[in-house]
């Protein structure tokens, strides 16, 4: 019968609950502990990820409002203990950490909402002891998320969050951000694999809040990484149906304007004139290229796309008219056909209430500082922002601008 119960735990949790009740009340040799131990070993030996279904079964059994309160509580605790006994016997690894975290989530949830324990002093003490003994797993999981991880491990760990509370997710993302100063990229990789869009949105909100509170300067180099993750989430086909979609749209608008421009916009690079490739190719050293020129009018030749295809760490500046990429050769800006293209990074520098930006060529280390005052304006048909690069500071400041539109001609009556 244990095999039948295990199959129902996987396929139909309601039938599993009914069968478990029937078996335990029959008065035979099948005690709750022997049944649950058999189910745990059978399912977990097939696939460790089946801990997810076992936890779902235990939660559903506990939530069945019958008169046997003490029996429900006792069965829940026995199931948790059998799961932990099995997991503790395994070699330390990311899947084991994730499954233990899932069990901790169940203990934490029951402890927070379990009014049934108030009259069961012994059971309450068992829950308290379990919770304290499992606190370490939150730190272990947070540390794992902030470190490089195999794709399979990341996917299996994130899948367990189907049964993990939002509050625990917030705590885990918060601690993973604090765990490793270089871990933001890995945390964002993990967020991508969370099974629910709303969970991904919540995680992005936590990361944004922590970055703005951070005094170690991770906003300086990590803003485009978070912006890239936000953009990816908002491009999901079912994003509009997410519960927190409106909050994500607001979060996007809270990003530093320069990061917003780099991550989402087509831009024009302009001062008194507009930057664009020269019509004819020239040779600088051994490289055939089109040097950057300045033109009087903002034609399609001046339109650029900022491609952030390496998870937001850096971006390529592509001229959309020619398909050529902006590069830096011996200190001169020019456009080339290159694979892969030069990458540029942006640093967000906060000075009091002001936010500054430094755009740097990753290969040469030179900042994007053409002669004179240069601005990078979002190429759209409504009001937007300019990135103004001041030559003497090698920094970029964002200023509000309004597109100059032609006024309607007066008509004589």
């Amino acid at each position: 019968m244990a095999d039948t119960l295990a199959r129902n735990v996987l396929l139909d949790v309601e039938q599993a609950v009914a069968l478990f009740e029937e078996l335990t009340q029959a008065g035979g040799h099948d005690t709750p502990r022997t049944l649950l131990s058999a189910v745990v070993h059978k399912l977990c030996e097939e696939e460790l990820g089946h801990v997810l279904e076992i936890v779902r079964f235990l939660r559903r059994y506990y939530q069945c409002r019958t008169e046997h309160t003490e029996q429900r509580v006792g069965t829940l605790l026995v199931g948790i203990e059998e799961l932990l006994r099995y997991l503790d016997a395994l070699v330390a690894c990311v899947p084991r950490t994730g499954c233990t975290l899932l069990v901790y989530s169940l203990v934490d949830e029951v402890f927070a909402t379990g009014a049934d324990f108030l009259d069961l002093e012994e059971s309450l003490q068992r829950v308290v002891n379990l919770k304290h003994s499992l606190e370490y797993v939150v730190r272990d999981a947070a540390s794992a998320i902030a470190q490089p991880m195999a794709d399979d491990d990341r996917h299996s760990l994130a899948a367990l969050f189907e049964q993990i509370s939002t509050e625990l997710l917030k705590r885990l993302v918060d601690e993973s951000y604090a765990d490793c100063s270089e871990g933001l990229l890995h945390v964002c990789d993990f967020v991508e694999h969370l099974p629910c869009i709303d969970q991904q949105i919540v995680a992005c909100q936590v990361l944004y809040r922590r970055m703005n509170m951070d005094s170690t300067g991770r906003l300086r180099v990590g803003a485009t990484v978070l912006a890239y993750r936000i953009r990816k989430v908002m491009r999901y086909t079912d994003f509009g149906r997410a519960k927190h979609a409106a909050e994500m749209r607001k979060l996007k608008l809270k990003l530093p304007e320069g990061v917003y421009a780099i991550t989402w916009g087509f831009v024009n690079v302009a001062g008194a004139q507009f930057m664009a490739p020269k019509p004819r190719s020239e040779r600088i050293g051994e490289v055939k290229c089109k040097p950057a020129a300045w033109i009087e009018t903002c034609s399609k030749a001046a339109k650029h796309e900022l491609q952030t295809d390496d998870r937001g760490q850096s971006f390529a500046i592509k001229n959309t008219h020619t398909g050529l990429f902006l590069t830096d050769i011996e200190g001169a800006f020019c456009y080339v056909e290159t694979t892969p293209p030069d990458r540029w990074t942006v640093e967000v520098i906060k000075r009091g209430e002001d936010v500054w930006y430094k755009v740097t060529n990753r290969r040469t280390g030179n900042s994007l500082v053409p002669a004179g005052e240069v601005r990078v304006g979002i190429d759209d048909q409504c009001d937007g922002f300019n990135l103004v690069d001041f030559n003497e500071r090698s920094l970029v400041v964002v200023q509000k601008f309004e597109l100059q539109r032609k006024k309607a001609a007066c008509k004589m009556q």
Side-chain angles (χ1 to χ4, degrees):
M1 294 303 292
D3 289 348
T4 304
L5 178 61
R7 184 171 65 252
N8 286 341
V9 168
L10 285 182
L11 302 178
D12 191 329
V13 69
E14 297 297 337
Q15 285 190 16
V17 169
L19 179 59
F20 185 80
E21 284 277 359
E22 179 183 334
L23 293 174
T24 54
Q25 292 177 10
H29 297 291
D30 293 326
T31 65
R33 186 174 293 276
T34 57
L35 284 171
L36 291 173
S37 178
V39 169
V40 167
H41 280 79
K42 178 174 178 57
L43 294 183
C44 291
E45 286 171 5
E46 290 178 1
E47 183 180 333
L48 191 57
H50 286 329
V51 170
L52 186 67
E53 284 78 16
I54 298 172
V55 167
R56 184 185 292 117
F57 163 74
L58 291 174
R59 179 184 286 110
R60 184 70 190 95
Y61 180 83
Y62 173 71
Q63 291 171 346
C64 289
R65 295 300 175 186
T66 67
E67 64 276 10
H68 306 295
T69 300
E70 187 172 356
Q71 178 181 329
R72 288 189 297 107
V73 172
T75 299
L76 174 69
L77 294 177
V78 166
I80 290 172
E81 290 168 353
E82 289 301 317
L83 274 173
L84 291 176
R85 184 175 289 112
Y86 182 88
L87 293 171
D88 288 343
L90 301 178
V91 176
C93 59
V94 172
R96 172 191 162 183
T97 299
C99 291
T100 309
L101 179 71
L102 183 59
V103 176
Y104 171 84
S105 175
L106 178 60
V107 173
D108 186 52
E109 176 187 334
V110 170
F111 179 72
T113 61
D116 294 336
F117 292 96
L118 296 179
D119 298 327
L120 303 173
E121 183 176 347
E122 181 181 349
S123 297
L124 177 61
Q125 189 59 49
R126 287 169 69 187
V127 173
V128 171
N129 292 341
L130 280 171
K131 190 173 187 302
H132 286 312
S133 68
L134 291 173
E135 285 291 338
Y136 76 92
V137 77
V138 180
R139 297 189 299 272
D140 288 353
S143 180
I145 289 170
Q147 304 293 333
M149 191 187 308
D151 288 342
D152 289 345
D153 286 344
R154 186 182 297 112
H155 180 77
S156 61
L157 177 59
L160 298 175
F161 278 74
E162 178 187 335
Q163 293 290 317
I164 289 179
S165 68
T166 300
E167 291 305 313
L168 183 54
L169 171 63
K170 290 179 179 179
R171 177 184 170 189
L172 195 68
V173 173
D174 191 287
E175 292 196 17
S176 64
Y177 180 88
D179 183 78
C180 178
S181 61
E182 304 297 328
L184 178 62
L185 183 66
H186 304 305
V187 177
C188 286
D189 289 341
F190 169 77
V191 170
E192 180 181 10
H193 288 78
L194 289 171
C196 173
I197 291 180
D198 284 305
Q199 289 179 324
Q200 297 189 26
I201 294 173
V202 167
C204 288
Q205 289 175 317
V206 173
L207 289 173
Y208 176 79
R209 176 179 56 81
R210 282 304 305 265
M211 288 178 70
N212 277 278
M213 295 169 56
D214 195 352
S215 60
T216 62
R218 269 183 277 182
L219 176 67
R220 180 173 181 138
V221 295
T224 54
V225 174
L226 178 59
Y228 181 80
R229 173 53 35 210
I230 292 173
R231 187 184 70 174
K232 292 280 283 187
V233 173
M234 295 183 70
R235 286 184 172 181
Y236 292 153
T237 55
D238 52 349
F239 169 75
R241 297 192 296 272
K243 178 181 177 182
H244 300 300
E247 296 175 30
M248 190 63 144
R249 294 188 183 99
K250 292 178 182 178
L251 179 60
K252 171 186 173 181
L253 297 177
K254 290 180 181 178
L255 292 170
E257 291 88 350
V259 174
Y260 176 94
I262 288 167
T263 308
W264 272 273
F266 290 96
V267 302
N268 298 312
V269 182
Q273 298 174 310
F274 296 88
M275 180 184 283
K278 286 185 177 180
R280 294 186 177 182
S281 297
E282 299 180 12
R283 187 170 293 277
I284 299 179
E286 298 181 355
V287 179
K288 184 180 180 181
C289 63
K290 290 187 176 182
W294 297 96
I295 59 178
E296 294 291 338
T297 58
C298 183
S299 67
K300 61 182 180 180
K303 188 174 183 179
H304 296 79
E305 177 186 2
L306 301 176
Q307 297 181 343
T308 53
D309 56 3
D310 64 342
R311 299 179 292 173
Q313 296 179 91
S314 61
F315 53 92
I317 303 177
K318 179 182 179 181
N319 180 263
T320 58
H321 180 60
T322 62
L324 302 178
F325 291 90
L326 182 65
T327 189
D328 173 19
I329 300 178
E330 299 177 1
F333 292 107
C334 57
Y335 295 85
V336 296
E337 294 180 2
T338 178
T339 304
D342 256 6
R343 310 300 299 181
W344 303 77
T345 61
V346 59
E347 296 180 48
V348 181
I349 304 169
K350 299 184 74 172
R351 293 179 176 173
E353 296 297 323
D354 296 325
V355 182
W356 302 76
Y357 304 85
K358 184 176 182 180
V359 182
T360 306
N361 185 291
R362 174 178 276 185
R363 177 177 55 84
T364 65
N366 293 331
S367 298
L368 178 59
V369 190
E373 182 182 296
V374 174
R375 69 184 182 187
V376 183
I378 300 177
D379 182 25
D380 56 14
Q381 298 302 314
C382 60
D383 295 348
F385 292 91
N386 284 336
L387 292 177
V388 182
D389 194 333
F390 289 99
N391 195 24
E392 68 274 13
R393 299 191 186 185
S394 300
L395 297 176
V396 182
V397 65
V398 173
Q399 295 179 341
K400 182 71 176 176
F401 78 96
E402 294 183 0
L403 295 180
Q404 296 181 355
R405 300 183 178 89
K406 293 183 179 180
K407 296 181 179 179
C410 295
K411 293 184 179 180
M412 299 295 293
Q413 298 293 332

